[in-house]
Amino acid sequence: MPQLRFIFLLSTAVFAVFLATSTAQAHHGWAWATDEEFEITGVIQSVRLGNPHGEVTIRADGEDWVVEVGQPWRNERVGLTREMLSEGREITVHGHRSAREGERLVKAERVVIDGQDFNLYPGRAS
């Protein structure tokens, strides 16, 4: 009976570690995005700023796209404020779109609002 309990606890621990690492890898980083540069211009529909990153939904050519902008500290560092990301404003996003067919999701490297550039990842080689 002690061996059965040990096997159960070990299996549970291995599963928990697997689940935690696969969830973290699926969300963070750039692995989910294509290597191809992508640009889209649209009108901001909604904004959710915060951690782990902000999300701005834009409408372009009749379709809604979710744009991942930086973490709060990253946006602040480049001067990108909540007021600049307000609903109804036009925004151009330069970055990388999702590699999943049909998914309208973009990881922004740089955004342009009112002719002003905000380079979220200045040290990143595109």
Side-chain angles (χ1 to χ4, degrees), residues 31-42:
W32 59 268
T34 65
D35 289 335
E36 176 185 321
E37 290 291 323
F38 181 73
E39 178 180 297
I40 190 167
T41 298

Side-chain angles (χ1 to χ4, degrees), residues 92-108:
T92 298
V93 178
H94 301 268
H96 299 268
R97 65 179 165 186
S98 173
R100 295 179 73 182
E101 186 71 32
E103 184 173 42
R104 291 185 301 272
L105 176 63
V106 181
K107 177 81 168 186

Side-chain angles (χ1 to χ4, degrees), residues 59-118:
R59 178 150 306 142
D61 298 324
E63 296 182 319
D64 287 346
W65 287 76
V66 175
V67 177
E68 287 189 359
V69 293
Q71 303 90 333
W73 64 266
R74 185 178 302 277
N75 295 337
E76 184 179 307
R77 183 183 70 192
V78 300
L80 187 59
T81 66
R82 171 69 173 100
E83 291 74 30
M84 292 173 186
L85 294 170
S86 60
E87 293 176 20
R89 292 186 91 165
E90 186 175 271
I91 183 173
T92 298
V93 178
H94 301 268
H96 299 268
R97 65 179 165 186
S98 173
R100 295 179 73 182
E101 186 71 32
E103 184 173 42
R104 291 185 301 272
L105 176 63
V106 181
K107 177 81 168 186
E109 288 181 310
R110 183 171 60 92
V111 299
V112 180
I113 300 172
D114 293 336
Q116 188 175 356
D117 270 342
F118 300 93

Side-chain angles (χ1 to χ4, degrees), residues 3-75:
Q3 282 181 324
L4 186 58
R5 182 171 183 222
F6 174 76
I7 291 171
F8 174 76
L9 290 174
L10 182 61
S11 298
T12 302
V14 168
F15 179 72
V17 168
F18 170 76
L19 186 62
T21 57
S22 64
T23 301
Q25 287 178 343
H27 181 78
H28 293 98
W30 296 77
W32 59 268
T34 65
D35 289 335
E36 176 185 321
E37 290 291 323
F38 181 73
E39 178 180 297
I40 190 167
T41 298
V43 176
I44 298 173
Q45 302 298 302
S46 64
V47 179
R48 186 203 57 79
L49 298 178
N51 288 311
H53 51 76
E55 291 182 350
V56 177
T57 300
I58 67 171
R59 178 150 306 142
D61 298 324
E63 296 182 319
D64 287 346
W65 287 76
V66 175
V67 177
E68 287 189 359
V69 293
Q71 303 90 333
W73 64 266
R74 185 178 302 277
N75 295 337

